[in-house]
Amino acid sequence: AQSVAQPEDQVNVAEGNPLTVKCTYSVSGNPYLFWYVQYPNRGLQFLLKYITGDNLVKGSYGFEAEFNKSQTSFHLKKPSALVSDSALYFCAVRPNTNAGKSTFGDGTTLTVKP
Amino acid sequence: SQTIHQWPATLVQPVGSPLSLECTVEGTSNPNLYWYRQAAGRGLQLLFYSVGIGQISSEVPQNLSASRPQDRQFILSSKKLLLSDSGFYLCAWSVPGFNQPQHFGDGTRLSIL
């Protein structure tokens, strides 16, 4: 069975500092990996995905994520955090098979303080 | 461009009453459709997904059912709501394919009294 772990419920950073939101996964075969962001009382918004190729993936709003196959990780990063980045972030994984469905992590709340 | 609509945004229902939540997608054809429940602003639980009209897969045995009467319409229903049905319900769609992200509506917050 596939799974996603987001080991930190909460991440706090100061505005202007770099941020990292961690994600590790377990899946049979090659994974497709996704990051989503959720603002209060809203649905999830897609940020970026890893399918194949370059391990560093760039997405919306200046976010990027690094795929590390040996560590089965897909950490979300941003060089300089903004207060407006404060939100709930979800990592998701699905296998590249016909029967595969997405599994979401439990989410990490990011708070960026001015 | 594609858009997804969910309604209502909030709903308060008594225990034992029926439920119907509707989701429609515009600007795409033959999307995969999904219903999720999110508890306490945390993880998502997949309830149902559909790859075509009349094709519904249930992920969790429960008090709820789903239907897809039209290509871009997905309905979540219940005949009798339980207190445990309270939560934030999210509809999503994706282009068919393994590597396609899901696109979410803004959800319905359901409170059962």
Side-chain angles (χ1 to χ4, degrees):
Chain A
Q2 63 199 47
S3 64
V4 176
Q6 294 183 241
E8 301 157 315
D9 286 344
Q10 178 93 29
V11 171
N12 299 312
V13 299
E15 188 175 29
N17 283 0
L19 70 87
T20 298
V21 182
K22 296 179 180 178
C23 171
T24 59
Y25 67 90
S26 174
V27 68
S28 298
N30 293 320
Y32 294 140
L33 295 155
F34 305 85
W35 275 102
Y36 295 84
V37 60
Q38 185 181 30
Y39 297 98
N41 298 311
R42 301 296 300 274
L44 280 67
Q45 297 176 35
F46 167 67
L47 281 178
L48 51 80
K49 68 180 180 182
Y50 171 81
I51 304 300
T52 187
D54 194 347
N55 289 341
L56 185 64
V57 178
K58 295 188 182 297
S60 306
Y61 312 118
F63 284 94
E64 57 190 26
E66 187 168 10
F67 172 65
N68 187 316
K69 187 173 183 178
S70 63
Q71 297 185 7
T72 61
S73 67
F74 189 55
H75 301 330
L76 181 69
K77 300 180 180 183
K78 188 173 182 181
S80 179
L82 300 173
V83 172
S84 57
D85 293 330
S86 299
L88 183 58
Y89 289 80
F90 290 95
C91 180
V93 66
R94 70 169 300 176
N96 62 346
T97 62
N98 194 30
K101 293 180 286 292
S102 292
T103 297
F104 287 79
D106 285 339
T108 298
T109 300
L110 172 67
T111 302
V112 182
K113 298 183 179 179
Chain B
S1 62
Q2 302 91 353
T3 56
I4 179 169
H5 303 281
Q6 261 189 268
W7 66 93
T10 59
L11 188 60
V12 180
Q13 293 283 95
V15 170
S17 63
L19 173 73
S20 181
L21 302 181
E22 190 160 342
C23 172
T24 60
V25 180
E26 296 177 356
T28 188
S29 297
N30 195 33
N32 289 345
L33 296 172
Y34 311 82
W35 277 112
Y36 290 90
R37 178 166 56 205
Q38 184 179 25
R42 303 308 295 192
L44 277 67
Q45 178 186 34
L46 179 63
L47 302 175
F48 302 95
Y49 74 96
S50 171
V51 298
I53 296 174
Q55 301 178 60
I56 309 293
S57 295
S58 174
E59 291 298 300
V60 181
Q62 59 207 325
N63 187 39
L64 302 170
S65 62
S67 62
R68 183 171 179 174
Q70 300 180 43
D71 181 45
R72 291 168 290 175
Q73 184 184 27
F74 206 23
I75 298 172
L76 183 68
S77 303
S78 174
K79 293 182 179 179
K80 286 187 176 182
L81 285 167
L82 306 172
L83 283 174
S84 58
D85 291 325
S86 292
F88 190 48
Y89 288 83
L90 290 162
C91 180
W93 72 272
S94 72
V95 173
F98 312 143
N99 61 2
Q100 299 298 322
Q102 294 177 39
H103 305 278
F104 289 77
D106 280 338
T108 295
R109 189 161 302 283
L110 176 63
S111 299
I112 310 300
L113 303 179

